[in-house]
Amino acid sequence: MNLLWLQSGGCGGCTLSWLGYEHGPLFQVLADEGVELLWHPSVSEAGVDEARELIAECADGRRAVDVLCVEGSLLRGPQGSGAYHRFGGGRQSMAEWVRQIAGRARHVVAVGTCSAYGGVTAAGVNPTDACGLQYDGELDGGLLGPHFRDPSGLPVINISGCPPHPDWITETLALLAHGQLGALDLDDYGRPRFYADQLVHHGCPRNEYYEYKASAGKHSDQGCLMEQLGCKGTQAHADCNQRLWNGQGSCLRGGFACIRCTDPGFEEPGHPFETTPKIAGIPIGLPSDMPKAWFVALAALSKSATPARVRENARVDHLKRTPSVKRGRK
């Protein structure tokens, strides 16, 4: 299965994340799974002239493309011309190259939230008219339109994340190479369910503090970041705290709140990222499937039962009070 990777409007962070794959030499792993890299702007030896010729061959059908991966949002401006981004100084816009190749590829993959939904590049007044491949924020559409399907009937496969975990990218490509990724394996936003059916909250090292609503006062504290510091881990679809980054890390383990970067629209939450908006003292961003009345009742009960150890440790950056040791028979 050959793979063509194009970069559009973004920072290149998705590639940087992918190159941090830790389960063996990345390109040897891809080869073992039957994936051949035709071209990637950051790692391939071909210069711009060779690359332009290769891309032209892919666009007009002289060279078959099994998987088209696009990193970065698609820039449609000005006035729908796509002229804000021309590949390698050529006359044709990157958006048009992507349209042509996507129409011929066996599968189309959006790598990162920018290419999936528009992401950070589409934030604010969006002067470049940036969008995702098949979404414009939460709305169907994007560059390829809501009805786009590849020859097997799949929509654009959205490996969202800012950036996505390297395993999400590699495992998705391996599944495609083995013909094991179907429509039922994607969620409502086109994300592979093997990671999107999880919540960042699952496996969070701060869960004991969450259960007792013992909140951190600042990012260096050990307590829960949801009630005061804007954490959206109970709403974010990803397995970041189960599939750790570099074998040991996640945003929450590093002391930072989850900003729900795998979801469309995360870049414009309507408030500063590190604050928790509230109405009458109740956070607006409650867990996805918890009614407000339940949360209020649970929070009141939890806070009344918070052990002194948990309450004290929540507001410091190291264990101040250790768990007591049980003696004798239970």
Side-chain angles (χ1 to χ4, degrees):
M1 183 182 80
N2 65 40
L3 164 66
L4 175 66
W5 186 299
L6 299 178
Q7 288 179 324
S8 190
C11 64
C14 299
T15 287
L16 188 61
S17 173
W18 191 38
L19 294 176
Y21 183 78
E22 61 175 347
H23 304 298
L26 174 60
F27 298 107
Q28 183 59 55
V29 171
L30 292 175
D32 291 344
E33 296 293 344
V35 180
E36 176 189 355
L37 187 64
L38 284 177
W39 186 74
H40 185 299
S42 298
V43 302
S44 296
E45 295 179 357
V48 65
D49 293 332
E50 295 173 89
R52 191 186 296 114
E53 177 58 27
L54 170 65
I55 291 171
E57 291 176 4
C58 295
D60 62 23
R62 285 177 287 158
R63 186 183 294 249
V65 176
D66 293 314
V67 178
L68 169 64
C69 285
V70 179
E71 174 184 1
S73 62
L74 288 307
L75 311 185
R76 295 173 292 188
Q79 299 178 339
S81 68
Y84 281 138
H85 185 192
R86 303 178 190 270
F87 174 74
R91 300 179 64 180
Q92 185 162 302
S93 70
M94 175 60 80
E96 188 54 36
W97 285 121
V98 169
R99 282 195 189 98
Q100 292 180 21
I101 299 172
R104 295 181 179 275
R106 282 179 55 201
H107 303 292
V108 179
V109 176
V111 182
T113 301
C114 284
S115 60
Y117 312 121
V120 171
T121 316
V125 296
N126 193 7
T128 61
D129 197 17
C131 67
L133 280 170
Q134 201 165 15
Y135 280 88
D136 194 346
E138 295 181 345
L139 302 176
D140 293 333
L143 183 77
L144 301 180
H147 304 299
F148 172 85
R149 295 294 182 272
D150 68 24
S152 67
L154 290 177
V156 173
I157 299 161
N158 292 320
I159 310 176
S160 62
C162 191
H165 193 290
D167 287 7
W168 302 345
I169 303 170
T170 305
E171 290 182 20
T172 299
L173 295 175
L175 289 170
L176 288 174
H178 293 282
Q180 295 180 359
L181 189 70
L184 295 179
D185 299 311
L186 304 177
D187 76 354
D188 290 346
Y189 281 120
R191 299 171 292 202
R193 293 179 60 184
F194 70 80
Y195 80 86
D197 277 358
Q198 307 297 316
L199 292 174
V200 171
H201 184 61
H202 299 159
C204 176
R206 299 169 184 257
N207 273 346
E208 183 179 34
Y209 298 102
Y210 169 82
E211 290 167 2
Y212 286 110
K213 302 300 174 284
S215 298
K218 56 187 182 300
H219 282 285
S220 59
D221 292 344
Q222 296 187 112
C224 179
L225 303 174
M226 175 193 166
E227 284 195 278
Q228 306 294 339
L229 295 170
C231 184
K232 294 182 172 64
T234 57
Q235 308 161 53
H237 291 263
D239 57 5
C240 299
N241 280 305
Q242 299 173 82
R243 186 195 304 263
L244 299 181
W245 297 68
N246 298 315
Q248 60 183 1
S250 69
C251 292
L252 287 156
R253 289 167 191 262
F256 295 93
C258 171
I259 59 174
R260 206 174 67 174
C261 73
T262 58
D263 286 10
F266 89 92
E267 68 277 2
E268 294 188 280
H271 58 84
F273 281 117
E274 297 180 355
T275 63
T276 300
K278 301 177 182 180
I279 295 179
I282 302 171
I284 294 174
L286 295 180
S288 308
D289 41 13
M290 177 178 283
K292 184 181 295 186
W294 292 9
F295 180 85
V296 173
L298 179 63
L301 179 61
S302 298
K303 288 180 179 180
S304 67
T306 304
R309 168 184 61 84
V310 175
R311 185 170 55 252
E312 292 177 26
N313 288 338
R315 292 299 180 111
V316 293
D317 61 6
H318 62 283
L319 284 179
K320 182 178 180 181
R321 188 164 176 171
T322 60
S324 60
V325 178
K326 288 281 187 180
R327 294 184 177 276
R329 294 183 178 181
K330 294 182 180 180

